[in-house]
Amino acid sequence: MKRFFLYLTTLVLELIFGLQRVFMIAIPLFFVIVIVSFFNNYDYYFGSFAYQRFGNYGWASFVDDWVIPPLFFSLGVGLMLGYLNIFFSLQAFIAGGQFITRFVLGARSPSSRERHKIYDTLNAVFRHVKGPVKGFSTVFIIDSPFDQVNLIGTTLYISSGAVQSNDLPVLLAHEIGHLNNGDGRMVLALRRLVFIPFQLFLAGVRGFSTNRPNPKPELKEFEAMEVFFFLANKLLFFWCARLGGGIGVWLLSWQWAKHFREADYKADAFVASLGLRDQLIEHLEQFKFYDAAVPYMLGWRPANELRIDRLLNSKGETLAAASAD
């Protein structure tokens, strides 16, 4: 319920700030329609307007014929295009989807070797699951040397590096935990709030997903250019969010960060329940980037130590409960 309320608040913010997109589309379209109509019918309308004007009723007729129809048409088109991202987001939240995300991320179908390894590992993980568990609708590959695994909607996006990793069972189990909790649909719904051209532009700027590792995770000394580019990115993302959608996510990023960290804790608990706790801790000690593909969240940093604490404390609580029994 809390997640749904946060999503509704994000949509309300998108509706409010989306008005500027509506007028940015409607106003130029209105003048284009009027100018094109005028020159296409120059003789007729010029003569008609001159006669109506000198007949003392021309201005009202001019407004009715020249202003009202194109104005309503332009506003209608502006409303439809300006809020199309909200429609796509709701559709993704309810029904899911994969084509747009696959296109933006540049993902491909797995090869036969990759498919066999992924599905063999999934089957090995499923054998340890007690009770019903959901399965991924589709699996796509992102050619990257890093260990990246993302659940977006019900589709699994896994890097070619992760396929070859020894931690593949842990990575897949973690995403199964997200799938069972319905986290993927929310990620997809938030991504759909950003129009596709802006998704592609942001992907070219610095990676649209938060799963992209920072090439400079720690600065050894103060670097003025790094500070400049950091501030420039923040300003760029703010204006992209206002114009291209996702401003609600940008404004509520601190709440969404909290939500997805809690979602990671739950997915980690699922991995631990399969007997992969130690392997997950080892993985968290080595890799220091977040694995949630949410727009405009490039400033997030992983709370890997807190996740490890949760895993260690959950073991302590289990042992304490067992000894008490």
Side-chain angles (χ1 to χ4, degrees):
M1 180 61 73
K2 184 178 179 181
R3 174 174 63 181
F4 184 69
F5 176 76
L6 183 58
Y7 178 57
L8 286 181
T9 305
T10 303
L11 292 183
V12 170
L13 291 172
E14 197 67 36
L15 281 169
I16 295 173
F17 285 91
L19 282 174
Q20 65 179 351
R21 287 196 303 271
V22 173
F23 288 109
M24 287 177 62
I25 296 172
I27 292 176
L29 181 61
F30 168 76
F31 284 106
V32 167
I33 293 175
V34 170
I35 293 172
V36 171
S37 300
F38 181 83
F39 283 102
N40 283 344
N41 303 276
Y42 180 82
D43 294 334
Y44 172 77
Y45 277 107
F46 181 80
S48 174
F49 176 63
Y51 167 77
Q52 292 170 0
R53 180 181 179 184
F54 291 110
N56 296 324
Y57 67 95
W59 285 112
S61 180
F62 172 78
V63 171
D64 290 340
D65 295 339
W66 285 74
V67 177
I68 300 301
L71 180 62
F72 277 97
F73 177 79
S74 300
L75 286 175
V77 173
L79 287 170
M80 181 180 67
L81 297 180
Y83 289 131
L84 195 62
N85 62 331
I86 295 179
F87 169 79
F88 282 139
S89 178
L90 290 171
Q91 183 273 333
F93 182 73
I94 297 171
Q98 59 178 259
F99 174 77
I100 297 177
T101 305
R102 179 188 179 185
F103 171 72
V104 171
L105 295 180
R108 60 172 174 83
S109 299
S111 67
S112 57
R113 292 194 306 169
E114 291 170 331
R115 186 180 297 108
H116 287 311
K117 184 168 184 178
I118 292 171
Y119 284 104
D120 288 346
T121 305
L122 282 173
N123 289 331
V125 172
F126 286 145
R127 283 196 290 268
H128 295 86
V129 177
K130 298 179 181 179
V133 65
K134 299 178 180 179
F136 304 108
S137 59
T138 318
V139 177
F140 290 119
I141 303 295
I142 300 175
D143 289 310
S144 170
F146 303 105
D147 287 1
Q148 302 171 214
V149 183
N150 289 121
L151 176 70
I152 304 178
T154 57
T155 303
L156 181 69
Y157 293 88
I158 179 170
S159 67
S160 54
V163 175
Q164 305 300 325
S165 172
N166 294 329
D167 293 331
L168 183 61
V170 168
L171 297 172
L172 294 179
H174 184 83
E175 298 309 314
I176 293 173
H178 281 306
L179 183 64
N180 288 337
N181 295 328
D183 299 326
R185 287 192 183 276
M186 184 57 70
V187 171
L188 180 60
L190 295 179
R191 288 182 66 92
R192 291 286 179 84
L193 287 174
V194 183
F195 289 97
I196 298 178
F198 285 84
Q199 290 190 28
L200 293 171
F201 172 73
L202 291 170
V205 172
R206 193 189 159 190
F208 186 58
S209 304
T210 56
N211 62 327
R212 301 292 179 89
N214 190 345
K216 292 186 177 181
E218 295 180 359
L219 294 176
K220 302 302 182 182
E221 58 183 10
F222 177 81
E223 295 184 18
M225 289 303 297
E226 288 293 332
V227 176
F228 170 77
F229 284 121
F230 173 80
L231 295 176
N233 277 335
K234 291 295 183 183
L235 183 62
L236 175 66
F237 294 153
F238 171 70
W239 283 106
C240 284
R242 288 190 62 183
L243 301 178
I247 186 65
V249 182
W250 193 89
L251 292 174
L252 297 176
S253 60
W254 56 284
Q255 280 293 330
W256 282 117
K258 180 180 178 182
H259 165 75
F260 283 109
R261 288 188 181 112
E262 290 295 331
D264 256 348
Y265 293 146
K266 294 179 181 178
D268 288 344
F270 176 79
V271 176
S273 70
L274 303 181
L276 299 172
R277 183 188 65 89
D278 293 339
Q279 191 173 350
L280 175 59
I281 291 176
E282 182 180 352
H283 174 76
L284 292 175
E285 289 175 340
Q286 295 177 359
F287 297 94
K288 306 295 183 183
F289 51 89
Y290 224 70
D291 65 346
V294 182
Y296 301 118
M297 295 295 101
L298 288 172
W300 288 4
R301 288 296 180 267
N304 283 11
E305 285 299 323
L306 295 179
R307 292 171 65 182
I308 293 173
D309 277 349
R310 291 285 187 103
L311 290 166
L312 294 174
N313 290 336
S314 65
K315 180 188 178 184
E317 291 169 0
T318 304
L319 292 175
S323 61
D325 293 339

